[in-house]
Amino acid sequence: MYHKIGRMLFKLKPEIFIAVAYPGINLLLCRYAKKLGIKTVYLLPPQIWAWGTFRKYFIRKWVDLIISVFPFEYRFYKALNFKVIYWANPLLIFLKDYTKPPPSREIGVMPGSRVSQVKRNLRVIKELIKNFPNWEFVFILHPEVLSPDLTRWLTHEFSRRIKIVSSQRYEAMCRCRCIITSSGTASLETAILNIPQIFFNYPPFPDYYLFRHFLRITEYNLTNLYYGKHIVPSFVFCNKKRLVQAITQELHRLLT
C-alpha cells in the first residue's frame, strides 16, 4: 500500500498530501511527499501524548500542518510549538439530532473495532451476562467487523439469545439503558448521545505490562480525556475475574 500510494504521489505531484490517522504508514508517506516538494497535512495525528514522544522529531520534519479534533491533543501539540489547528469534532454535529426513546431493558455492548479484540472482550461480557439474567444484551458492532465467521462465533459462544446490530447503530445505542464500551470512538459517541456507560479494556498481560510501564498518561478513556474530567468509569485489568467484578458493581449502580 505504501508503494502504491507513493507511486500515485510521484505521478500526480499534488500540491497537498493529507494523511489521516494510522501513523504506521502515513508518517513514511509524509516523508516521501516532502522529498517530492509536496506540502503535508496530518488529520488525526499520531497520539504521541500517550506514548512514542520520540516521533515528534519526525512529525516536525515531515509534517507542515496538524489538524486535531480533540481539544487536549490540540493543546499538547501547541505546547510543543507545532503548527496545529483545532477542528471541532464532527461527531458533535453529526449526533446532535439523535434523541433517546423511553428507557428499555437493553444493555448495549460495543466491544471494539477489530475481530481479535471483539472476541477477547466478549469473554468478559459472557461472564457478565450471567449476573444480569433479566436484561437483554445488544451487541452493537460495526458492519466491517461483523463477518459471517464472527456471527457464527457469537452464536456458538452465547447460548442465551442475544441481539446483534450492525446497521442503524446510533438508533440502537439510543434505545439502551446503558452501554459497555471498549473503544475510544464508541465511548465518545456514547457520551455525546448522553447515554450512561462503562469503559473497559481487557488486554493480554504483555500489553498490560506495556500500558503500565510505557504509557505516559494515567487516563485511558477518550471521553474523559476529551472533556478533561472523569465522567466515564473506566476499568483496565488483565485479570478477567477482577474485571467482571468491577463492571458488575458499576453496572448495578447505573441500573438502579
Side-chain angles (χ1 to χ4, degrees), residues 156-198:
H156 178 266
E157 286 292 314
F158 292 86
S159 56
R160 176 184 166 185
R161 183 176 177 272
I162 58 172
K163 184 188 293 186
I164 303 173
V165 175
S166 62
S167 61
Q168 298 182 320
R169 293 168 58 249
Y170 297 122
E171 289 84 353
M173 291 171 67
C174 289
R175 289 194 298 269
C176 295
R177 180 73 65 88
C178 66
I179 295 179
I180 303 170
T181 65
S182 298
S183 161
T185 301
S187 177
L188 186 58
E189 290 171 333
T190 303
I192 294 172
L193 291 170
N194 197 28
I195 303 170
Q197 65 169 300
I198 299 170

Side-chain angles (χ1 to χ4, degrees), residues 9 22 59:
L9 288 172
Y22 195 50
I59 299 170

Side-chain angles (χ1 to χ4, degrees), residues 40-52:
T40 55
V41 176
Y42 213 122
L43 172 63
L44 307 178
Q47 298 173 345
I48 62 174
W49 41 267
W51 51 20

Side-chain angles (χ1 to χ4, degrees), residues 69-70 86 88-100 170 173-174 179 181 184-197 221-224 226-227 231-232:
V69 298
F70 303 120
Y86 172 66
N89 199 305
L91 287 173
L92 296 171
I93 299 173
F94 183 72
L95 298 178
K96 67 182 178 65
D97 294 329
Y98 284 87
T99 57
K100 291 178 63 177
Y170 297 122
M173 291 171 67
C174 289
I179 295 179
T181 65
T185 301
S187 177
L188 186 58
E189 290 171 333
T190 303
I192 294 172
L193 291 170
N194 197 28
I195 303 170
Q197 65 169 300
N221 179 261
L222 179 60
T223 299
N224 294 337
Y226 187 91
Y227 290 104
I231 59 178
V232 175

